[in-house]
């Protein structure tokens, strides 16, 4: 589909043709949106703020997965394990070495990135299904490591308690405060993801995804770019893991587990693979669904009083599974694609072509 | 335009898959600034030979020298960086990218922005993108594909895809251009367009072109020299006139009626 531009607006330079935000009103709209997000604690209830906070952290993890799976085409089921790595690294740096959180989080990102790099090494030899299996290994090895290695430091299966981040004497100890951290990091990761997707790096990623043979024969070093994708995905996971661990104030081997990895993949499919809006749409929709399942619970019990509370727990995976199936059947390219179609239809109004 | 300087020397190349001998002792030279066509029946080993040049297939023995440098030990992406570009028999575009981005992706080898510069996309990386956009736009202009500049190539018809693929190869500004059946599945008009583009590239830029094609009339028209393969062996080499009258080629490929 060709890109539709509003009538009467002409570009006079390549820079303006390539620009993301093209009109003044778009800047204002963006500004208003960001201000509305930052002002959230002033007009929304604590549970809404906590939900937005959780969605924000999830989006960061899914953005990383999108770089690896959506753009580079390497399906990974290890994203949550890299969150574990990032969470532990940042927790240990703060707890044991007394680092401030704002130094520990970048270090955790880098550390998780290096762990991701290691688990990306099989991509030299295997691809597709087999590579997915190799990434699954990360999901078993890393939690096993945290349970069994260095019991004095990592405290085995019990996990460790994590301190609250402090900046300029402000303790980020409530969702209303923590959300400023999450939003700021989220804006940065979104800008970075967008820059990657429109630059030389992003084009190389998509080339690897769409036709690895042609990419290699036309000058792209496959292994180098696959590894960079694994690294970046794990960096994003490390950031998300660090943010989540410091918010929950605890981390153990099961804080981020295989189910989370699968959920991230599901969010990406629902949102749209290989689109920067995909992770945002996907994480919002799935988290809202899960929240909806929680709200639906009491109603469910009043309708079927004989069922145990366990049935309510089962509602979440049921909602998620049903949503995923429906999307795969009716909108396999995700909400981001639907959004493109909607924008095109809006620009073409009142004509249909 | 043809010079006597040898650009690519194929020296005694053999290739086998298990028990099947795909290529046996192939030798020929590609001179700088010529159009050399490789013809032969299906399964003769034409595409396998191209894949050897890219070192995607590793020949059992023999050497391939680009301006005196052996290619058989280099990884495929390095060979592309040395100035060899190609198109594929079955188009192999980056289907999720627009025409523009397909060509920009081919500029990869001429661009420098690393991971960090790409992430920041500020200053140098941005300027670099604009500079290369300019080069790419010239190629888009030359191939008359302006109208599909921002269309995702996965949605384009076959004829246009072939043209975009030629554009992608040209965007690499190669010394040597391999075209693997650039006109398959095209109608007469599209074939003529494509032939015109190939001749234009050849005349304007003096690019050396190695062409695999089945349309004999066309090959005889545009090639300077022809190499004929059959069952992995070179059975003839020469000017179109010589090939047309070569008995071995007539028996193996052209047939009695031949090309008049």
């Amino acid at each position: 589909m060709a890109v539709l531009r509003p009538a009467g607006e002409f570009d006079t330079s390549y820079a303006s043709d390539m620009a993301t935000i093209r009109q003044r009103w778009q800047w204002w709209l963006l500004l208003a949106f960001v201000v509305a997000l930052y002002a959230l604690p002033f007009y929304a209830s604590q549970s809404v703020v906590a939900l937005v906070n959780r969605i924000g952290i999830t989006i960061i993890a899914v953005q990383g997965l999108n770089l690896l799976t959506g753009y580079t085409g390497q399906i990974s089921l290890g994203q949550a394990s890299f969150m574990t790595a990032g969470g532990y690294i940042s927790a240990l740096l703060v707890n044991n070495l007394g680092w401030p959180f704002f130094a520990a989080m970048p270090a955790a990102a880098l550390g998780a990135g290096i762990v991701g790099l290691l688990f990306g090494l099989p991509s030299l030899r295997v691809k597709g299904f087999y590579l997915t299996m190799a990434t699954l290994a990360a999901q078993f090895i890393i939690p096993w490591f945290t349970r069994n290695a260095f019991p004095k430091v990592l405290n085995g299966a019990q996990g460790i308690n994590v301190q609250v981040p402090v900046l300029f004497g402000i303790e980020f100890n409530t969702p209303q405060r923590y959300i400023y951290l999450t939003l700021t990091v989220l804006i940065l990761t979104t800008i970075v993801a967008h820059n990657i997707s429109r630059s030389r790096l992003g084009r190389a990623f998509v080339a690897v995804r769409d036709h690895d043979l042609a990419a290699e024969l036309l000058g792209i070093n496959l292994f180098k770019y696959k590894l960079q994708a694994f690294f970046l995905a794990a960096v994003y996971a490390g950031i998300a893991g660090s943010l989540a661990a410091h918010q929950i104030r605890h981390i153990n081997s099961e804080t981020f587990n295989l189910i989370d990895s699968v959920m991230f993949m599901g969010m990406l499919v629902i949102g749209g693979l290989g689109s920067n809006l995909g992770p945002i749409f996907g994480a919002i929709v799935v988290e809202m669904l899960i929240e909806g399942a929680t709200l639906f619970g009491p109603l469910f019990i009043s309708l079927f009083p004989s069922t145990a509370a366990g049935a309510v727990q089962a509602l979440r995976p049921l909602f998620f599974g049903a949503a995923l199936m429906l999307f795969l059947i009716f909108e396999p390219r995700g909400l981001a694609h639907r959004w493109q179609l909607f924008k095109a239809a809006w620009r073409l109004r009142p004509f249909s072509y | 335009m043809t010079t006597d300087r040898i650009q690519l020397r194929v020296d005694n190349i053999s290739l086998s898959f298990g028990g099947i001998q795909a290529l046996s002792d192939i030798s020929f030279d590609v001179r700088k600034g010529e159009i050399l066509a490789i013809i032969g029946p299906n399964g003769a080993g034409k595409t396998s030979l191209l894949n050897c040049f890219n070192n995607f297939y590793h020949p059992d023995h023999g050497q391939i020298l680009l301006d005196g440098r052996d290619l058989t030990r280099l990884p495929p992406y390095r060979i592309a960086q040395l100035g060899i570009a190609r198109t594929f028999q079955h188009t192999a575009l980056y289907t999720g990218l627009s025409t523009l981005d397909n060509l920009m992706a081919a500029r990869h080898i001429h661009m420098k922005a690393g991971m960090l510069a790409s992430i920041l996309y500020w200053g140098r990386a941005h300027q670099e993108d604009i500079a290369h956009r300019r080069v790419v736009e010239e190629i888009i202009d030359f191939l008359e594909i302006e109208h599909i500049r921002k269309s995702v190539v996965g949605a384009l018809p076959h004829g246009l895809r072939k043209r975009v693929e030629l554009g992608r190869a040209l965007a690499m500004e190669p010394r040597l251009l391999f075209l693997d059946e650039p006109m398959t599945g095209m109608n007469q008009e599209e074939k003529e367009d494509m032939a015109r583009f190939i001749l234009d590239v050849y005349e304007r830029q003096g690019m050396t072109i190695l062409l695999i094609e089945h349309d004999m009339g066309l090959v005889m028209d545009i090639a300077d020299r022809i190499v004929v393969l059959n069952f992995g062996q070179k059975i003839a080499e020469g000017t179109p006139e010589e090939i047309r009258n070569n008995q071995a080629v007539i028996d193996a490929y052209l047939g009695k009626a031949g090309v008049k």
Side-chain angles (χ1 to χ4, degrees):
Chain A
M1 179 181 52
V3 175
L4 291 167
R5 292 274 161 86
E9 187 201 339
F10 302 104
D11 295 310
T12 51
S13 71
Y14 292 134
S16 81
D17 183 53
M18 285 151 61
T20 311
I21 297 175
R22 308 164 51 76
Q23 285 173 326
R24 186 161 302 205
W25 65 267
Q26 289 172 317
W27 277 111
W28 286 113
L29 200 64
L30 182 68
L31 189 69
F33 180 65
V34 171
V35 168
L37 273 181
Y38 271 87
L40 207 60
F42 296 106
Y43 59 84
S45 69
Q46 176 156 357
S47 62
V48 170
V49 175
L51 175 66
V52 174
N53 200 20
R54 197 166 69 238
I55 290 176
I57 293 172
T58 310
I59 290 175
I60 296 172
V62 182
Q63 278 174 334
L65 187 65
N66 189 31
L67 288 174
L68 180 59
T69 303
Y71 284 109
T72 319
Q74 313 296 306
I75 298 171
S76 163
L77 287 177
Q79 191 71 350
S81 69
F82 303 130
M83 284 179 78
T84 307
Y88 265 99
I89 292 171
S90 138
L92 291 175
L93 286 175
V94 172
N95 286 2
N96 297 14
L97 300 179
W99 286 34
F101 170 76
F102 299 92
M105 190 181 68
L110 200 64
I114 291 165
V115 175
L117 211 56
L118 287 178
F119 284 96
L121 287 174
S123 66
L124 172 65
R125 308 297 299 184
V126 296
K127 53 184 179 180
F129 180 67
Y130 302 93
L131 182 63
T132 309
M133 287 293 122
T135 62
L136 199 55
Q139 198 65 63
F140 289 96
I141 292 171
I142 292 173
W144 176 87
F145 184 87
T146 63
R147 274 195 305 274
N148 296 300
F150 310 112
K152 285 216 180 85
V153 185
L154 298 180
N155 203 19
Q158 305 262 293
I160 47 181
N161 291 324
V162 187
Q163 290 171 16
V164 169
V166 182
L167 178 67
F168 304 130
I170 304 165
E171 281 202 340
F172 290 88
N173 53 0
T174 58
Q176 280 96 330
R177 290 183 181 171
Y178 210 86
I179 196 165
Y180 293 113
L181 272 185
T182 309
L183 284 177
T184 309
V185 175
L186 176 62
I187 288 171
L188 287 176
T189 58
T190 306
I191 293 173
V192 166
H194 178 64
N195 282 347
I196 289 173
S197 71
R198 62 174 170 168
S199 63
R200 177 178 188 246
L201 184 62
R203 288 189 294 263
F205 281 169
V206 178
V208 172
R209 175 193 74 190
D210 281 351
H211 211 294
D212 53 353
L213 167 66
E216 194 176 17
L217 266 41
L218 299 183
I220 290 167
N221 183 347
L222 287 188
F223 190 44
K224 178 178 160 190
Y225 284 97
K226 284 181 185 174
L227 280 188
Q228 288 194 355
F230 269 99
F231 175 76
L232 286 168
V235 163
Y236 270 70
I239 293 172
S242 164
L243 276 175
H246 285 272
Q247 204 223 340
I248 314 166
R249 300 183 212 173
H250 179 82
I251 185 166
N252 62 33
S253 62
E254 283 302 305
T255 309
F256 315 113
N257 53 33
L258 178 60
I259 299 298
D260 290 314
S261 280
V262 176
M263 292 281 267
F264 294 152
M265 189 59 83
M267 290 176 190
L268 196 51
V269 170
I270 287 174
L273 286 148
S275 152
N276 287 320
L277 285 172
I280 298 173
F281 284 150
I284 291 175
V285 166
V286 173
E287 290 283 1
M288 299 283 262
L289 267 179
I290 291 171
E291 198 66 19
T294 314
L295 296 176
F296 190 64
L299 178 70
F300 189 77
I301 292 177
S302 67
L303 286 175
F304 307 99
S306 59
T307 53
V312 179
Q313 281 295 312
L315 280 178
R316 294 181 180 198
L318 268 178
F319 272 47
F320 174 68
L324 192 55
M325 277 204 294
L326 289 173
F327 267 92
L328 282 174
I329 295 167
F330 294 109
E331 191 60 277
R333 294 166 73 181
L335 285 168
H337 180 242
R338 180 56 51 186
W339 174 245
Q340 289 293 331
L341 294 182
F342 171 75
K343 280 203 297 188
W346 184 254
R347 294 227 164 110
L348 287 170
R349 232 179 80 85
F351 308 105
S352 58
Y353 49 85
Chain B
M1 192 83 70
T2 311
T3 58
D4 286 337
R5 195 162 80 76
I6 289 161
Q7 186 152 38
L8 187 79
R9 162 159 283 169
V10 183
D11 189 14
N12 227 12
I13 285 294
S14 289
L15 174 74
S16 58
F17 301 110
I20 300 165
Q21 193 72 26
L23 296 170
S24 35
D25 300 323
I26 307 278
S27 298
F28 62 88
D29 293 330
V30 184
R31 294 174 198 151
K32 188 174 161 43
E34 73 173 346
I35 298 184
L36 178 77
I38 301 177
I39 62 171
N42 285 324
K46 306 183 294 291
T47 300
S48 296
L49 189 60
L50 276 199
N51 284 340
C52 284
F53 295 162
N54 284 112
N55 210 13
F56 181 63
Y57 292 164
H58 311 288
D60 303 334
H61 63 77
Q63 275 192 319
I64 296 161
L65 301 165
L66 174 70
D67 291 326
R69 181 166 184 180
D70 189 12
L71 299 181
T72 50
R73 303 234 169 269
L74 294 174
Y77 71 89
R78 282 283 302 138
I79 292 175
Q81 288 165 3
L82 288 177
I84 288 186
R86 69 176 281 186
T87 65
F88 298 82
Q89 185 175 359
H90 310 287
T91 39
L93 288 165
Y94 310 133
T95 44
L97 290 177
S98 65
T99 301
L100 190 60
D101 280 338
N102 265 275
L103 270 61
M104 284 297 282
R107 296 298 296 172
H108 186 86
I109 54 171
H110 296 291
M111 294 174 81
K112 291 192 183 66
M115 191 165 82
L116 215 56
S118 289
I119 284 171
L120 297 174
Y121 203 69
W122 194 270
R124 245 193 48 212
H126 186 55
Q127 292 305 320
E128 193 183 33
D129 256 17
I130 293 174
H132 288 268
R133 170 82 187 265
R134 205 157 280 145
V135 180
V136 162
E137 285 290 346
E138 268 169 33
I139 293 164
I140 288 178
D141 193 36
F142 165 66
L143 290 175
E144 297 161 20
I145 47 178
E146 297 94 336
H147 60 294
I148 53 163
R149 187 189 277 123
K150 293 199 171 165
S151 308
V152 173
V153 298
L156 294 178
H158 177 76
L160 280 177
R161 282 195 210 198
K162 283 277 186 192
R163 209 187 291 181
V164 173
E165 208 186 18
L166 176 64
R168 187 178 63 175
L170 291 179
M172 293 171 69
E173 292 183 274
R175 287 192 263 176
L176 197 55
L177 178 62
F178 299 159
L179 301 173
D180 193 352
E181 303 199 17
M183 295 160 209
T184 38
M186 287 186 166
N187 63 32
Q188 196 56 36
E189 195 181 340
E190 286 171 326
K191 278 186 183 177
E192 283 165 9
D193 277 349
M194 190 54 107
R196 181 164 56 82
F197 288 130
I198 293 171
L199 285 174
D200 265 4
V201 171
Y202 168 71
E203 279 164 17
R204 278 196 211 173
Q205 308 182 19
M207 212 177 271
T208 312
I209 296 174
L210 211 154
L211 172 77
I212 295 179
E213 185 50 55
H214 279 298
D215 187 320
M216 269 316 111
L218 204 134
V219 167
M220 297 287 174
D221 269 355
I222 68 173
D224 294 314
R225 289 189 312 128
I226 298 174
V227 168
V228 189
L229 298 185
N230 192 26
F231 291 115
Q233 290 178 327
K234 189 177 92 172
I235 58 172
E237 178 181 351
T239 62
E241 198 55 41
E242 289 163 5
I243 296 298
R244 201 173 295 168
N245 300 317
N246 184 311
Q247 194 54 45
V249 179
I250 292 171
D251 291 343
Y253 189 46
L254 296 181
K256 273 257 154 54
V259 181
K260 282 156 206 141

